[in-house]
Amino acid sequence: MLIAAHGWDVAGALWAGWRAAFVSRPGQQLFPLAPKTEIVASDLHKVTEILVKYT
């Protein structure tokens, strides 16, 4: 899984068949033409909390 704060990085991972998480830092946004991202959170700590709960 790729975890990134740049929409184009997340889009590239999704198009390559990877799973992805987007860290929505100020000034960053998801790439509008990309598939839906599995995880969107405001910081890396929140992404980590979500991933720890995965089974």
Side-chain angles (χ1 to χ4, degrees), residues 28-51:
Q28 299 297 326
Q29 62 184 355
L30 288 166
F31 188 66
L33 301 177
K36 184 174 167 64
T37 305
E38 185 173 341
I39 297 171
V40 177
S42 59
D43 61 55
L44 193 55
H45 187 272
K46 290 180 182 173
V47 171
T48 303
E49 289 176 344
I50 294 167
L51 289 173

Side-chain angles (χ1 to χ4, degrees), residues 13-26:
L14 293 169
W15 286 323
W18 291 19
R19 295 167 61 194
F22 178 70
V23 181
S24 57
R25 294 179 13 187

